[in-house]
Amino acid sequence: MAEYKRPTSKAEFKKNFKQKKPLMNDTEAYFESSRCLFCYDAPCIKACPTHIDIPLFIKQINTDNITGASKTIFDSNWLGNACGVVCPTDVLCEGACVFNHQDVSPIQIGRLQNYATNKTIDSNKTIFNLEEVNGKKIAIIGAGPAGMACACEARTLGYQVDIYEAKDKPSGLTVHGIAPYKITNEEVLKEIEYLKNHLGFQIKYNSAILSKEKLQKLEKNYDAIFLGVGLGNTANLKLAGEDMEGVIGAVEFIEELRLKQHLLKVPNKVVVIGGGNTAMDAASEAARMGASKTVLAYRNSKEKMKAYGFEYNLAISAGVDSLFHVTPLEIIGKGKVEGVKFAKTEWVEGKLKTNMNNVFIVKCDLVIMATGQAKQGTLYNLIDNLEVDSQTKIIINEATFQTSNSKYFAGGDAINGGAEVVNAAYDGKMAAQGMHQWLNQ
Ligand code: SF4
């Protein structure tokens, strides 16, 4: 089990957050691509949410056609470079690779994908074909993966595209909410810059669309609007003491860590509440920032956690301890966090019940709440006739990604409640095609 020294410099931070899937060199890429069997019914393609022709791009890498490989990748997935490293490939393409049936390591598809696209981005080669400008305009709210993918696809179809982004950087959670050992800020921003320069869409930063007036202005000035607004801040659990100093949402913690890096001070004892992938990321990050004790607390069993097994294992290997079947009752302290009071939970007649006879305190200086993100319901209420479901997810026509207000299309976390970057990239691309169909009928 790793024990991390508190990073005090950029170099030490980089060491603690060593890339999980480092960039391959030419020899590694040649060797790895040579192992592929180029299966005729490639299960890896079916397992990829964007259906990249994986054997084709691997063959192209193997024959040193890197431009062709990148084109194959970007043709299906506009965030092909980022997805190569942030995708949970163990449960997607690599998890489906036929080698798994033979007890042989699957082809490292993600790293090969990253190898090819990274080379093309670095060479700044133009590989995209844009249709004639058609005089129509598309507004995109949110420069996250869904919005970026929608912008790229819409540009190739001849639309003028403006993205309105509330923050001062693009790429939503890819920059702000993904653990730095998966992808660096520089790598995310490099891909976005490349796409922006070669496809020609505009991003208007610090431009939150939060009022009816602003929406009406967009409706007047654009032919169609894409909602790629993702999710909001960490949802409140309404626990006593939750507003104390030393309590932070997981997404906010990860964002701060990515911005401040080694300058962020993480105290010695940390409790992370939650059982999803974001909880695993936050716990692993706290440990890598040198916390001497990081405890992951989840209300049910290990098997019931939403997090992927490999994400949990990664947190454990970073030195994180786990507590299962516990539910937080309150955050204790005097203005500043001193611990979390938990009760044990148990299954009684098919229901998970809190056992108030088994209550205890875990002392800590920081509580990270990884208990899900709030939905953007306030914005949705401002849009006429926009239908959302009981969980405040926007309802779309699954074939076209059009919402109940025909001018609006939507994709990403706003429609699925929180999934992977690759799912958002697929939605954004398909929504642009849905808009194209609607605007040309
Ligand atoms: Fe290659 Fe594995 Fe895909 Fe077959 S399943 S084409 S071996 S990556």
Side-chain angles (χ1 to χ4, degrees):
M1 193 189 289
E3 250 186 51
Y4 290 93
K5 208 177 124 242
R6 208 167 277 285
T8 54
S9 64
K10 249 191 176 178
E12 285 178 7
F13 179 85
K14 234 177 152 182
K15 195 172 151 222
N16 285 12
F17 287 85
K18 202 165 134 241
Q19 294 298 283
K20 207 177 130 212
K21 293 183 188 173
L23 198 58
M24 279 181 173
N25 61 34
D26 294 345
T27 313
E28 285 173 310
Y30 180 71
F31 172 77
E32 193 62 10
S33 59
S34 303
R35 291 205 304 129
C36 181
L37 302 173
F38 311 111
C39 311
Y40 78 96
D41 58 347
C44 53
I45 302 181
K46 288 188 202 111
C48 169
T50 61
H51 312 302
I52 298 175
D53 192 336
I54 293 165
L56 174 61
F57 89 68
I58 294 181
K59 186 85 192 167
Q60 287 165 320
I61 290 175
N62 194 245
T63 51
D64 203 26
N65 178 6
I66 304 303
T67 307
S70 299
K71 195 153 173 17
T72 303
I73 295 161
F74 284 124
D75 274 351
S76 292
N77 181 351
W78 287 110
L79 295 175
N81 189 52
C83 284
V85 280
V86 305
C87 258
T89 48
D90 306 41
V91 293
L92 297 174
C93 54
E94 292 173 19
C97 178
V98 293
F99 279 125
N100 290 296
H101 302 298
Q102 300 165 14
D103 231 6
V104 174
S105 305
I107 302 292
Q108 297 181 59
I109 301 167
R111 288 182 69 201
L112 283 170
Q113 184 170 314
N114 187 236
Y115 164 81
T117 47
N118 190 71
K119 272 203 162 214
T120 300
I121 292 170
D122 278 350
S123 70
N124 204 22
K125 233 182 214 165
T126 303
I127 59 168
F128 309 123
N129 302 321
L130 272 64
E131 279 184 21
E132 289 276 301
V133 174
N134 61 26
K136 289 182 182 148
K137 291 167 71 180
I138 286 174
I140 291 175
I141 308 180
M148 297 304 304
C150 185
C152 295
E153 187 76 6
R155 281 295 300 130
T156 62
L157 296 166
Y159 295 89
Q160 182 191 318
V161 178
D162 295 322
I163 306 181
Y164 292 82
E165 167 58 42
K167 297 196 169 164
D168 61 357
K169 279 192 190 63
S171 213
L173 280 190
T174 325
V175 161
H176 302 287
I178 288 182
Y181 49 80
K182 292 185 180 162
I183 193 164
T184 62
N185 290 352
E186 294 74 31
E187 196 167 0
V188 179
L189 297 174
K190 192 169 82 171
E191 182 172 37
I192 302 303
E193 208 44 36
Y194 172 76
L195 294 170
K196 195 157 94 64
N197 291 342
H198 287 265
L199 292 161
F201 52 84
Q202 303 297 319
I203 310 180
K204 297 171 192 286
Y205 296 113
N206 303 308
S207 302
I209 304 292
L210 292 171
S211 68
K212 185 99 186 155
E213 293 68 40
K214 285 190 175 165
L215 283 166
Q216 281 169 341
K217 211 167 152 197
L218 293 188
E219 287 168 14
K220 192 164 156 268
N221 294 334
Y222 293 89
D223 297 283
I225 301 168
F226 177 75
L227 294 166
V229 290
L231 300 171
N233 288 341
T234 302
N236 212 309
L237 274 191
K238 298 192 174 67
L239 286 179
E242 213 173 333
D243 52 356
M244 242 182 268
E245 189 190 328
V247 181
I248 188 168
V251 173
E252 293 76 10
F253 171 74
I254 297 170
E255 180 170 2
E256 213 182 325
L257 176 85
R258 291 197 69 123
L259 286 174
K260 296 188 182 161
Q261 304 196 351
H262 62 285
L263 300 174
L264 180 72
K265 298 281 170 258
V266 174
N268 265 332
K269 291 185 207 136
V270 181
V271 168
V272 180
I273 300 174
N277 291 319
T278 309
M280 305 306 130
D281 274 0
S284 190
E285 286 168 26
R288 283 164 201 260
M289 287 302 284
S292 54
K293 186 145 185 79
T294 304
V295 178
L296 187 68
Y298 180 55
R299 65 190 174 87
N300 210 325
S301 65
K302 181 179 156 193
E303 294 66 37
K304 293 273 182 197
M305 284 197 305
K306 276 200 187 146
Y308 296 125
F310 70 88
E311 295 279 16
Y312 172 70
N313 292 339
L314 200 66
I316 296 303
S317 67
V320 173
D321 292 331
S322 41
L323 265 180
F324 294 109
H325 275 291
V326 293
T327 189
L329 299 176
E330 67 171 293
I331 314 281
I332 54 168
K334 294 182 194 81
K336 204 168 170 296
V337 167
E338 288 172 16
V340 184
K341 187 187 273 181
F342 286 104
K344 287 294 276 182
T345 64
E346 54 201 28
W347 285 99
V348 181
E349 292 166 359
K351 283 194 178 143
L352 193 64
K353 295 251 167 93
T354 302
N355 180 354
M356 292 306 286
N357 294 320
N358 196 345
V359 172
F360 60 96
I361 290 170
V362 176
K363 286 189 179 167
C364 64
D365 321 291
L366 178 70
V367 179
I368 303 175
M369 310 288 279
T371 43
Q373 288 169 264
K375 311 283 181 347
Q376 309 275 26
T378 318
L379 170 69
Y380 305 158
N381 285 337
L382 300 173
I383 301 171
D384 296 333
N385 306 319
L386 185 78
E387 279 181 23
V388 295
D389 68 9
S390 58
Q391 295 171 307
T392 327
K393 291 185 281 191
I394 301 174
I395 298 171
I396 49 139
N397 172 328
E398 283 179 16
T400 61
F401 289 75
Q402 191 167 32
T403 71
S404 50
N405 178 327
S406 58
K407 191 147 192 167
Y408 286 84
F409 292 70
D413 288 356
I415 64 165
N416 61 34
E420 303 296 337
V421 172
V422 66
N423 301 101
Y426 175 76
D427 292 355
K429 180 183 171 77
M430 299 314 286
Q433 289 180 6
M435 287 171 167
H436 185 54
Q437 209 182 317
W438 180 65
L439 291 169
N440 291 284
Q441 60 191 351

